Amino acid sequence: MKTNVISFYHEFHCLAGACPHSCCRGWQIPVDEATYQRYQSLKGLRGYSLRRHIKRGEPHVIRPVLFRCPFENSDHLCQHQCNGQTELMPLVCRVYPRHSVSYGSFTEVTFEASCPVIAAMLVKQRKRLSFLPYNQTVDPVWVMENEDEDFLDFLLRDREKILDFLWAKERPLHEQMQAIYAYTRQENDWISRNHMEHLPEVVLSYDPTVQGDYAIERPGGYAFYPIATIDRMLLEHVDYGNLLLRSPKLYRLIRRYDRTFRKMNVKEADVFFHEKILEMLATDPTLEDKYRSYYSYNLQQLYLQAYETYFVLRQTLLATLYTQLLILFDLLDYLENGRVSDEKRQSEVLMLLEIGCRHNPKMTENLFWVIRNDFL
Ligand code: SF4
């Protein structure tokens, strides 16, 4: 099976014990079936001490102790890895921060920006990234179950077409995200009605008359998701039980968000958001490309995952959401300090976003549920 890796793949080096975050904390760790069965087959105290740290029920996940993996040792390293027993690590931990997805004939490998090294690398990327062939195997954490090769070919071509459109940079990013939304929404309609033959007729365009019923016309262009929708996501879903303990920095960002926007009505909030972003972008001409690059990276990571669900729109909606949240969190720093933060803080903000709003599959479902209810 071929493996393709994101272009900065070889630049990653784990900080191990010197990591300011450690990947053993702050999120739900799924245990894949093979590792779960390995735990079941181990006899005596060894087996028991592994099994008792798995939550009852499905899917199998590690039961954290004070928000940490119970297998994290006092040097903040994985005890299994230190013992040379990597086979006892769940697959996701063995591969992390790589994000590896198999599409049958090939595997694509990107990275999770919840790792501080990756977040720092991504913040520096202000350009289009690509995939490169890799002559080694990376175990896929996710396997897309489908044999519809024609659809996979379509997704590959469509992803390139969308990225070409994005990197032609003919319009501001918010207009590009709206055009890509309108395009994939039309595609999605044809796909869901099983009329794939109409897909070539769908045009990726900035023209609202071409976008038709899918055009979004709002006073605040960067408020792709209105602030009222973002409110529900952040205050009801991201800020759930003990966020202050789990992630004090994210908690403080969300409180700052609440203080900034709660005094405005819905329309005022959207306009304020949009105008302040334009002001922030004007202070650093490369900043828009940082967000374009992150959005583009998200599309590279997520778009093909529609192979299993045929739900292309979901992938662009999530890519747009993560990008809007990153812009929002950077904006909160900008409003607080009167300037764009340095790259160190920008990468911390990206990491906080990825851990708090993205890394946990249940969180993704909750946020997408808000999109379905409020937006679609
Ligand atoms: S979060 Fe990243 S740098 Fe830190 S220990 Fe995990 S893989 Fe290494």
Side-chain angles (χ1 to χ4, degrees):
M1 188 194 291
K2 283 195 296 185
T3 303
N4 299 322
V5 296
I6 199 73
S7 39
F8 61 94
Y9 185 82
H10 301 289
E11 292 164 35
F12 169 71
H13 299 287
C14 174
L15 297 176
C19 179
H21 176 71
S22 163
C23 33
C24 307
R25 281 171 247 166
W27 53 62
Q28 197 177 60
I29 302 172
V31 182
D32 55 288
E33 193 55 29
T35 308
Y36 180 76
Q37 291 306 334
R38 212 165 283 135
Y39 288 7
Q40 298 303 313
S41 65
L42 281 171
K43 303 219 174 344
L45 197 58
R46 184 77 187 119
Y48 170 73
S49 68
L50 290 167
R51 288 191 294 273
R52 78 191 177 93
H53 289 302
I54 304 224
K55 279 190 182 171
R56 280 173 204 272
E58 304 255 347
H60 308 306
V61 292
I62 300 270
R63 188 198 308 278
V65 178
L66 292 175
F67 312 113
R68 293 169 178 223
C69 175
F71 305 118
E72 179 186 0
N73 69 17
S74 54
D75 293 325
H76 307 304
L77 297 171
C78 173
Q79 177 192 314
H80 301 315
Q81 195 165 32
C82 292
N83 293 344
Q85 293 179 304
T86 49
E87 73 283 2
L88 295 182
M89 297 165 74
L91 176 59
V92 73
C93 300
R94 261 176 275 152
V95 170
Y96 186 85
R98 293 158 194 85
H99 177 106
S100 49
V101 187
S102 160
Y103 297 98
S105 56
F106 64 95
T107 296
E108 275 192 356
V109 189
T110 52
F111 282 111
E112 309 278 9
S114 46
C115 162
V117 175
I118 301 305
M121 287 161 90
L122 269 182
V123 157
K124 288 188 195 341
Q125 311 291 335
R126 300 191 176 200
K127 58 178 194 260
R128 180 174 180 170
L129 298 168
S130 54
F131 285 100
L132 303 171
Y134 186 45
N135 57 10
Q136 291 181 30
T137 304
V138 179
D139 286 336
V141 177
W142 290 274
V143 177
M144 295 295 126
E145 304 275 359
N146 198 350
E147 290 174 5
D148 188 345
E149 295 280 326
D150 289 345
F151 186 56
L152 184 57
D153 279 351
F154 161 76
L155 288 175
L156 280 164
R157 276 184 278 108
D158 209 35
R159 183 174 66 177
E160 285 313 294
K161 176 176 168 181
I162 292 170
L163 294 185
D164 289 347
F165 177 83
L166 192 58
W167 287 101
K169 299 204 284 187
E170 285 170 357
R171 298 282 181 95
L173 179 59
H174 64 89
E175 288 186 37
Q176 297 190 302
M177 292 197 289
Q178 290 180 7
I180 291 167
Y181 159 77
Y183 173 71
T184 50
R185 184 146 193 190
Q186 288 184 62
E187 288 187 322
N188 212 78
D189 277 4
W190 287 124
I191 293 168
S192 61
R193 285 189 268 154
N194 204 12
H195 278 299
M196 307 283 199
E197 72 280 9
H198 288 294
L199 289 176
E201 297 160 17
V202 183
V203 178
L204 179 48
S205 164
Y206 294 108
D207 183 349
T209 58
V210 174
Q211 294 173 2
D213 293 345
Y214 308 105
I216 299 181
E217 289 181 54
R218 285 215 194 89
Y222 270 106
F224 178 91
Y225 295 106
I227 291 296
T229 302
I230 296 291
D231 243 43
R232 229 178 313 287
M233 292 183 186
L234 292 183
L235 303 180
E236 292 177 18
H237 294 282
V238 177
D239 185 7
Y240 73 94
N242 296 322
L243 183 64
L244 177 60
L245 294 176
R246 285 184 288 119
S247 179
K249 289 181 178 175
L250 181 59
Y251 177 83
R252 283 197 287 275
L253 261 182
I254 292 179
R255 295 279 71 75
R256 212 191 293 160
Y257 160 81
D258 192 27
R259 281 197 304 278
T260 306
F261 286 96
R262 78 176 152 206
K263 45 188 187 269
M264 300 175 205
N265 68 36
V266 172
K267 196 172 164 196
E268 274 170 7
D270 289 352
V271 172
F272 176 84
F273 180 64
H274 178 70
E275 288 179 352
K276 287 294 169 186
I277 288 166
L278 294 184
E279 184 186 307
M280 177 174 76
L281 294 179
T283 66
D284 178 351
T286 69
L287 208 51
E288 191 180 21
D289 270 349
K290 174 186 122 170
Y291 300 126
R292 187 174 279 110
S293 184
Y294 181 60
Y295 177 59
S296 165
Y297 178 73
N298 277 310
L299 290 172
Q300 285 174 307
Q301 191 172 60
L302 297 174
Y303 201 63
L304 292 199
Q305 293 177 29
Y307 185 37
E308 200 170 59
T309 60
Y310 291 85
F311 195 177
V312 289
L313 180 62
R314 175 188 161 100
Q315 308 310 112
T316 49
L317 286 170
L318 287 174
T320 307
L321 172 64
Y322 301 138
T323 309
Q324 187 174 338
L325 289 177
L326 181 62
I327 299 174
L328 168 65
F329 288 172
D330 278 352
L331 179 68
L332 292 171
D333 275 355
Y334 172 78
L335 293 174
E336 177 89 352
N337 306 320
R339 59 178 166 73
V340 175
S341 304
D342 60 20
E343 280 188 0
K344 185 163 177 254
R345 171 62 183 167
Q346 288 183 39
S347 58
E348 180 177 59
V349 166
L350 174 56
M351 186 188 77
L352 293 173
L353 157 68
E354 292 262 342
I355 294 172
C357 308
R358 182 162 183 190
H359 207 69
N360 172 343
K362 230 187 221 168
M363 174 69 68
T364 306
E365 287 320 308
N366 288 345
L367 299 185
F368 199 71
W369 180 86
V370 177
I371 293 174
R372 272 186 189 276
N373 275 277
D374 285 25
F375 188 80
L376 290 183

